Amino acid sequence: MCGLLKRDELESPDLGYAFLPEYSGKGYAREAAGNTLKTVMRTCSLDTIVAVTLPDNFRSNKLLETIGFSFKETIELYGAQNNLYEFKSLGALC
């Protein structure tokens, strides 16, 4: 699963993804998240998308940085500390 949702707790729409363990490490998350990001930035006329992940989820933290997100801050979300990342459009995707 990979897509965009709007949580009341976050200021901007949120990119999320989840894959079954047997598909982990095969590049599917990077491909799906990168293509979802490009598509929604263009078709929804968005200029900012955020993403959250647990600080110890090293793969997700690295993936978000790889597809162009920047670490913004650590926030509490649903009773746990999460890394908040942000992607800002520079117009190149539109």
Side-chain angles (χ1 to χ4, degrees):
M1 170 312 279
C2 183
L4 197 70
L5 58 105
K6 178 60 182 96
R7 301 182 209 211
D8 290 337
E9 300 85 0
L10 300 173
E11 290 182 25
S12 299
D14 170 31
L15 176 71
Y17 48 86
F19 292 87
L20 296 171
E22 59 264 30
Y23 299 104
S24 180
K26 299 185 184 302
Y28 298 131
R30 184 178 65 207
E31 184 176 348
N35 286 325
T36 299
L37 178 64
K38 288 176 187 174
T39 299
V40 299
M41 293 298 283
R42 183 178 55 250
T43 61
C44 299
S45 299
L46 298 173
D47 62 357
T48 303
I49 294 178
V50 297
V52 293
T53 189
L54 296 172
D56 63 352
N57 188 338
F58 301 113
R59 286 181 135 167
S60 282
N61 284 282
K62 179 66 175 167
L63 178 127
L64 292 170
E65 292 172 358
T66 298
I67 63 172
F69 280 81
S70 298
F71 176 78
K72 187 172 179 186
E73 63 184 316
T74 301
I75 62 169
E76 185 172 323
L77 186 64
Y78 309 127
Q81 292 295 306
N82 283 265
N83 287 342
L84 176 67
Y85 286 85
E86 182 176 72
F87 182 91
K88 290 218 173 252
S89 174
L90 301 175
L93 296 175
C94 299

